[in-house]
């Protein structure tokens, strides 16, 4: 299936779901989801993978396994609404959904399909549903307000987080080039869920130019997508172009994690 854009009727399903977020309504109307949104997202994954490969960007996904479920994890949430009001997926270096260093694609109607900000989701790499406390209070950036794409590293493994931090300390000039390249492309690193204190093992970097980078627990850039962009058959090219602009950050992080793996094997 070739990606032809997300149809307005399919996006309207998400808006209606926000107003009727219960299992009975979803069951009665899920044909719009199964026949529209799911195949469109699968086609987007396939065509975006092809567009990235044409640019020598090692990001790809599987049309079935790279998609996040629309069901919410409500076990530890006060909000018991059962469904998300967006669809989402990732493309990664090895094609596995949860691998570090990824493109995250978040599709919902322009302007958002739900009121407020939902902090709970089964998507551990979804910045819109796992914001820092400050981001949740400010509701800043495109997260939760409409379609967007993000690239970078949303890490929850302390060893991987510290590996990236160590690489920043070891390669400060290269990190500076990453920041400069992103700035030139008009991309700003998101807030990064920073720690309040210098991370353990990096105290000697307090007060240096690297302090802000080292306090991060995630390294991501993003940009909103317009309604016209997600409705267009050129969306895969739009996403691949964004990945190309983000590639200095991706390459840096992958180098850090590859170095960690080699070091752990005793070969470094």
């Amino acid at each position: 299936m070739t990606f032809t854009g997300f149809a307005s009727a399919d996006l309207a399903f998400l808006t209606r779901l926000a107003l009727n977020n219960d299992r009975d309504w979803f069951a009665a109307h899920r044909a719009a989801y199964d026949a529209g949104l799911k195949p469109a997202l699968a086609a987007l994954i396939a065509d975006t993978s092809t567009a990235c490969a044409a640019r020598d960007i090692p990001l790809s996904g599987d049309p079935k396994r790279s998609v996040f479920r629309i069901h919410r994890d409500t076990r530890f949430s006060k909000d018991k609404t059962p469904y998300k009001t967006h669809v989402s997926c990732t493309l990664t270096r090895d094609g596995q959904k949860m691998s570090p260093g990824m493109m995250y694609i978040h599709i919902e109607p322009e302007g958002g399909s739900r009121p407020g900000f939902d902090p709970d989701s089964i998507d551990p790499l979804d910045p819109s549903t796992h914001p820092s406390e400050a981001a949740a209070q400010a509701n800043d950036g495109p997260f939760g307000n409409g379609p967007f794409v993000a690239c970078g590293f949303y890490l929850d493994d302390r060893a991987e987080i510290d590996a990236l931090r160590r690489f920043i300390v070891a390669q400060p000039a290269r990190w500076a080039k990453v920041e400069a390249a992103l700035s030139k492309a008009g991309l700003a690193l998101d807030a990064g869920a920073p720690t309040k204190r210098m991370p353990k093992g990096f105290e000697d970097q307090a007060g240096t130019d690297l302090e802000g980078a080292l306090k991060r627990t995630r390294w991501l850039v993003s940009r909103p997508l317009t309604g016209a962009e997600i409705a267009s058959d050129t969306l895969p090219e739009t996403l691949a172009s964004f990945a190309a602009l983000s590639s200095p950050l991706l390459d840096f992080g992958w180098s850090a994690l590859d170095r960690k793996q080699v070091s752990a094997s005793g070969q470094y």
Side-chain angles (χ1 to χ4, degrees):
M1 180 178 176
T2 300
F3 181 75
T4 58
F6 287 97
S8 58
D10 295 334
L11 295 172
F13 166 82
L14 294 173
T15 301
R16 294 173 65 201
L17 177 60
L19 301 174
N20 303 274
N21 201 329
D22 63 72
R23 290 178 174 81
D24 290 341
W25 187 93
F26 186 84
H29 297 84
R30 71 170 299 151
Y33 172 70
D34 290 335
L37 287 167
K38 284 181 68 176
L41 190 60
L44 178 63
I45 292 170
D47 287 0
T48 304
S49 298
T50 300
C52 285
R55 291 168 169 78
D56 293 324
I57 302 170
L59 288 172
S60 64
D62 181 275
K64 292 183 178 180
R65 293 192 294 268
S66 297
V67 177
F68 289 107
R69 298 174 65 223
I70 197 168
H71 300 79
R72 293 179 62 251
D73 185 350
T74 62
R75 290 173 298 172
F76 308 106
S77 173
K78 294 180 180 179
D79 179 0
K80 298 301 181 181
T81 51
Y83 304 105
K84 305 171 195 171
T85 54
H86 64 269
V87 293
S88 57
C89 62
T90 60
L91 276 65
T92 63
R93 186 167 54 158
D94 62 6
Q96 300 298 312
K97 182 168 64 176
M98 307 302 290
S99 296
M102 50 83 185
M103 176 195 293
Y104 171 81
I105 304 167
H106 180 106
I107 301 297
E108 63 179 331
E110 188 173 24
S113 59
R114 64 180 184 271
F117 196 92
D118 179 8
D120 299 297
S121 172
I122 60 170
D123 299 3
L125 297 184
D126 180 347
S128 75
T129 55
H130 288 271
S132 65
E133 181 179 354
Q137 292 175 352
N139 196 13
D140 60 346
F143 308 138
N145 297 312
F148 70 91
V149 56
C151 277
F153 294 82
Y154 194 91
L155 305 173
D156 57 9
D157 182 88
R158 176 62 183 272
E160 290 179 339
I161 292 171
D162 282 350
L164 210 153
R165 288 168 172 161
R166 285 194 298 271
F167 200 58
I168 291 173
V169 173
Q171 300 282 342
R174 182 176 172 184
W175 176 249
K177 289 181 179 180
V178 170
E179 293 185 313
L182 295 176
S183 178
K184 183 177 181 180
L187 299 175
L189 286 163
D190 91 334
T195 60
K196 294 181 179 180
R197 299 179 180 180
M198 287 301 294
K200 185 177 180 180
F202 299 90
E203 294 88 350
D204 61 335
Q205 295 295 322
T208 71
D209 293 341
L210 298 178
E211 179 175 348
L214 297 176
K215 282 184 173 181
R216 293 177 171 278
T217 57
R218 65 186 185 218
W219 293 262
L220 289 166
V221 291
S222 66
R223 87 159 178 87
L225 297 168
T226 67
E229 285 174 328
I230 65 173
S232 172
D233 60 3
T234 64
L235 180 58
E237 295 295 328
T238 298
L239 298 173
S241 295
F242 175 76
L245 295 175
S246 308
S247 60
L249 174 61
L250 290 168
D251 290 341
F252 185 93
W254 284 327
S255 294
L257 297 181
D258 289 347
R259 172 176 169 169
K260 169 184 174 291
Q261 291 175 354
V262 172
S263 178
S265 70
Q267 299 174 6
Y268 179 72

